[in-house]
Amino acid sequence: MFIAILEDDPEVGAVMEKWLQDAGHNVAVFATGAPLLAYKSLREIDIFLLDWVVPGMTGFDVLKLFKTQLHIVAPVLFLTIRDAEIDVVSALDAGADDYLVKPIRHQELLARINAVTRRVQDASI
């Protein structure tokens, strides 16, 4: 599976990249939203992991563009420090498939990626 991560903290991005690569996934990490949106293989990404709080364009802004203008159908998981109920609800209502509050736990992240992937595969059958 090809996973894109939007994460501005290089240490957090590197840890998640390692976890996902160790689990057999291909990973691309982006520190800001603009390079992610400009990525040539954007439509080949199977799942997106977005941090809300990144410089410039927020993860929430990226999600809105995915759903309203780019029509990206790949699942989106938010991985963020924002834990207010309104943030969770806003992201899910805008099209996110799941929402995790940092700190992210290794096995839980892998399990949630698998769960979202199963739901997408089951829906396409």
Side-chain angles (χ1 to χ4, degrees):
M1 185 177 331
F2 187 14
I3 300 174
I5 301 172
L6 176 60
E7 173 58 63
D8 65 321
D9 183 323
E11 290 179 22
V12 172
V15 167
M16 286 194 298
E17 181 177 26
K18 180 173 180 0
W19 290 348
L20 295 169
Q21 286 175 338
D22 288 351
H25 302 295
N26 295 315
V27 182
V29 181
F30 302 88
T32 61
L36 170 60
L37 292 170
Y39 187 65
K40 292 179 188 174
S41 301
L42 190 63
R43 297 225 177 257
E44 296 173 14
I45 295 172
D46 298 301
I47 193 164
F48 294 89
L49 308 180
L50 303 180
D51 185 3
W52 191 310
V53 183
V54 293
M57 180 182 299
T58 68
F60 189 76
D61 294 333
V62 170
L63 173 67
K64 289 190 300 187
L65 286 171
F66 279 178
K67 300 303 177 177
T68 62
Q69 293 179 22
L70 301 175
H71 308 291
I72 300 292
V73 296
V76 175
L77 279 72
F78 263 88
L79 312 174
T80 182
I81 197 159
R82 293 179 67 142
D83 63 353
E85 182 179 18
I86 189 64
D87 294 331
V88 176
V89 170
S90 295
L92 295 172
D93 282 348
D97 297 280
D98 204 351
Y99 195 104
L100 290 89
V101 176
K102 292 179 179 178
I104 302 302
R105 297 179 294 210
H106 179 193
Q107 295 302 319
E108 180 181 8
L109 175 61
L110 296 176
R112 288 182 183 258
I113 288 170
N114 290 337
V116 167
T117 303
R118 273 193 313 271
R119 286 194 302 265
V120 169
Q121 290 171 346
D122 290 347
S124 66
I125 295 177

